[in-house]
Amino acid sequence: MKHIFIINPTAGKQDSRQRIYDMAKELREKHELDVQCILTKKQGHATEIARKLCKEGGELRFYACGGDGTANEVANGILGFDNAAMTMVPVGTGNDLLKNFGDDLEKFRDVENLWDGPVFPMDVIEVNGRYALTIACSGIDARVAADVHKYSESPLLDGKSSYIVSLLVNFFFKGIGSHWKVEMDGEEMEGDWSLVSVCNGRYYGGGFYAVPEADPRDGLLDVLLVKKITRAQVPGLIGKYKAGRYKELPEYITHYRTDRLEIHSPTPTAVNLDGELKMETDISMSIAKEKVRFFYPKGLTW
């Protein structure tokens, strides 16, 4: 078995490369493992690396060393390959995928806890041939995600505060609603919407706890369809939405559980896939046929 560390050198506030090199070296020397470290050089490079190695064959364990975007790229590279599994070493700004594991997130920071951990099949969201592990959303949230990285470059902002700043700027200065036709479970809904959040996990956007009951093992997507709201309504709604209290807002937010939906927009609209963005007019979202083999620390509490 080969252990491949795919490292995003630009992830997070600090350069974590040496710490990862040291952990990889310790695995090699302590457990006599076949270990390799590879730095990404551009967007999408982690996908290219993972897919190429998977095609070469042999049993592989990938460590996505970065944030949710790096994990997303590795997942897109290994999906469909039975010889590969992945995990995440959190050195990014958000690390929302691992927040699903609660306090056990800290165990993922030390690869000694990971290298021989068990594997489970994780659901994946498919969006027009691209895949997401945690979140796929359109509307104001997707536009917010497009600006998060810009604000996260400030030394005064961490991942969560960068998201909040981007959210406020987009709500108050860039408009809120979009006109879409949404099709789901045989129902067609056309109107003005603030956002459609399609959740595979419980967290996104630097810690927004959107759908507390979302589970990336149940074969279903948790969808929040949010009506267009006014700027004056934002302060009273955002706190409840962030805390997963959407049930207290039935006049604005409807929750669905489904395995497929479509969004049709008259103009290209932003789609956020784990922080990576696409522009689409016709958007098909579903549970992918394949699952990502994800390994985690022994004894972990889900």
Side-chain angles (χ1 to χ4, degrees), residues 9-291:
T10 65
K13 295 286 186 181
Q14 299 178 339
D15 188 340
S16 300
R17 282 176 289 182
Q18 191 57 54
R19 183 171 70 85
I20 295 168
Y21 292 153
D22 291 342
M23 288 193 294
K25 180 181 178 182
E26 186 173 349
L27 286 188
R28 183 184 299 112
E29 295 177 350
K30 183 176 180 180
H31 302 288
E32 299 182 347
L33 302 178
D34 186 350
V35 178
Q36 183 179 5
C37 293
I38 306 175
L39 294 176
T40 60
K41 298 179 180 179
K42 60 182 180 179
Q43 185 174 359
H45 194 201
T47 298
E48 296 174 10
I49 295 168
R51 186 173 295 143
K52 179 178 183 294
L53 291 171
C54 287
K55 288 180 178 179
E56 291 177 357
E59 192 173 356
L60 302 168
R61 285 202 164 196
F62 289 95
Y63 302 74
C65 304
D68 294 300
T70 307
N72 174 281
E73 288 193 11
V74 173
N76 273 268
I78 74 170
L79 199 68
F81 289 96
D82 293 335
N83 60 320
M86 70 168 287
T87 192
M88 179 179 174
V89 180
V91 295
T93 56
N95 308 315
D96 289 309
L97 174 63
L98 297 186
K99 289 186 175 75
N100 289 288
F101 296 95
D103 292 338
D104 287 323
L105 180 154
E106 295 303 317
K107 296 179 181 178
F108 285 84
R109 299 189 189 279
D110 186 351
V111 298
E112 180 65 31
N113 299 323
L114 293 170
W115 70 272
D116 60 346
V119 177
F120 81 91
M122 179 182 288
D123 292 336
V124 179
I125 311 171
E126 181 175 0
V127 184
N128 290 8
R130 180 75 183 176
Y131 302 94
L133 294 175
T134 301
I135 182 73
C137 63
S138 291
I140 184 65
D141 259 14
R143 300 205 315 267
V144 168
D147 291 339
V148 166
H149 292 299
K150 177 178 68 176
Y151 295 117
S152 66
E153 293 175 358
S154 168
L156 302 177
L157 301 174
D158 59 16
K160 183 181 294 186
S161 55
S162 297
Y163 186 89
I164 293 173
V165 169
S166 180
L167 183 68
L168 294 174
V169 168
N170 276 272
F171 264 105
F172 287 106
F173 299 104
K174 297 186 179 182
I176 298 176
S178 300
H179 190 83
W180 296 324
K181 182 188 294 181
V182 181
E183 298 178 13
M184 183 165 39
D185 295 337
E187 184 178 1
E188 185 176 293
M189 298 163 281
E190 184 170 356
D192 295 323
W193 313 100
S194 293
L195 64 95
V196 177
S197 290
V198 180
C199 302
N200 190 40
R202 297 186 287 274
Y203 295 88
Y204 76 101
F208 273 57
Y209 187 46
V211 187
E213 57 267 49
D215 187 336
R217 302 167 296 179
D218 62 7
L220 291 171
L221 301 171
D222 285 88
V223 181
L224 296 182
L225 184 57
V226 184
K227 293 180 180 179
K228 181 181 178 180
I229 60 176
T230 66
R231 289 182 176 88
Q233 292 171 319
V234 172
L237 300 179
I238 190 172
K240 292 181 179 180
Y241 179 83
K242 178 178 181 294
R245 295 161 57 191
Y246 68 86
K247 293 179 181 179
E248 298 177 22
L249 304 166
E251 66 271 36
Y252 302 108
I253 302 176
T254 306
H255 175 229
Y256 300 86
R257 305 198 79 219
T258 185
D259 61 357
R260 177 179 298 275
L261 73 151
E262 294 184 1
I263 301 172
H264 303 284
S265 172
T267 58
T269 187
V271 186
N272 170 23
L273 308 177
D274 294 341
E276 306 300 319
L277 293 171
K278 299 177 66 175
M279 297 298 295
E280 303 282 357
T281 53
D282 297 300
I283 307 163
S284 177
M285 301 185 182
S286 63
I287 287 287
K289 293 180 181 179
E290 299 90 354
K291 296 181 183 291

